Amino acid sequence: MSPAPTGPVLVTGCSSGIGLATAQALLDAGHIVYATARRPETLTGLASSGARTLALDVTSEESMSVAVKSIEAEHGRVGALVNNAGYGEYGTIEETDLEKVRTMFETNVFGLARLTQLVLPAMRDAGEGRIVNIGSMGGRFTFPVGGYYHSTKYAVEALSDALRNEVRRFGIGVSLIEPGLIRTGFEGTALSSGAAAAQGSSPYAALLASSASNTRGGYGNRMISAGPESVAKVVRRAIESGHPKPRYVVTPAARALIATRTLGGARLWDLMMRAQFNG
């Protein structure tokens, strides 16, 4: 497996947060970077830094196909794909609108899967490539009020594990990045979700209020949260390493929570959730 892809790097969801930081870190490292977003006008800063920019909506087959074909027409293949686009639709299992959940799955899971399908044939022909999926510590355990979002990240875990063992024979490496709390504004989107915000009229009002308080407190605590640059550094490592790891956990707090859930089992985890979420 080559120490780094010889083709360009395609990064999704670059308008802000992890995608923006990742594209910039890869540019700084000398990679050819295609920074993409649904609204390409949000990418002017990256374009000024030397990124090639494209419109790419991971819920649109046409948009994904056009973007990949454009890169392949110029370079022959995508050298590395960073599947970063995603968001959180929060709320209790009972109350969350399933149409909104389906839309989230289209972005977080099916878009990731389809874009991966589109870049793989040329990678196989070249005998090299990298796929880096941005998952979450939330693919290894579940907080109440985040069940549907966690479900998308559990799905990304499964897809990444299967894909890694399917494509390594073709010289393609697959890594999953599992960030903890990253200060990107993610929590604002999550807390404004319809079911998560409807506290007053909900039988889960106390739980929703506790969840909102814990979320704000966690992201605001710089001892347990980190900036998006911390994820960008790990993505670069996964792309450039001659022997990329299957998983990279980002932040000490995320490692501690994953270990607690894995080693302590469901009973201990449930006790922690009762204490943290008041019930």
Side-chain angles (χ1 to χ4, degrees), residues 6 25 32 45-46 50 54 59 62 64 77-78 99 118 184 188 222 229 232 250:
T6 56
I32 298 171
L46 286 172
L54 290 172
T59 67
E62 180 181 7
M64 289 186 285
R77 67 189 180 282
V78 173
E99 283 304 313
L118 289 170
T184 62
R222 290 181 176 259
E229 297 79 14
V250 184

Side-chain angles (χ1 to χ4, degrees), residues 86-165:
Y87 69 98
E89 184 69 41
Y90 271 53
T92 63
I93 300 302
E94 178 181 348
E95 295 179 310
T96 303
D97 183 344
L98 289 180
E99 283 304 313
K100 292 183 177 179
V101 173
R102 290 185 180 95
T103 300
M104 178 176 59
F105 266 85
E106 285 291 341
T107 298
N108 294 9
V109 180
F110 300 120
L112 175 151
R114 181 57 182 146
L115 194 55
T116 299
Q117 288 180 333
L118 289 170
V119 303
L120 278 174
M123 285 186 178
R124 281 192 294 100
D125 289 345
E128 64 172 20
R130 294 292 161 88
I131 307 289
V132 179
N133 292 331
I134 306 298
S136 169
M137 66 177 182
R140 306 279 286 276
F141 56 76
T142 306
F143 290 135
V145 186
Y148 289 115
Y149 170 73
H150 286 269
S151 296
T152 68
K153 294 306 182 180
Y154 271 68
V156 172
E157 293 267 338
L159 289 170
S160 300
D161 280 344
L163 180 66
R164 187 177 64 255
N165 288 294

Side-chain angles (χ1 to χ4, degrees), residues 200-220:
S201 60
S202 170
Y204 299 95
L207 172 61
L208 293 169
S210 178
S211 174
S213 177
N214 287 333
T215 299
R216 292 191 187 96
Y219 279 94

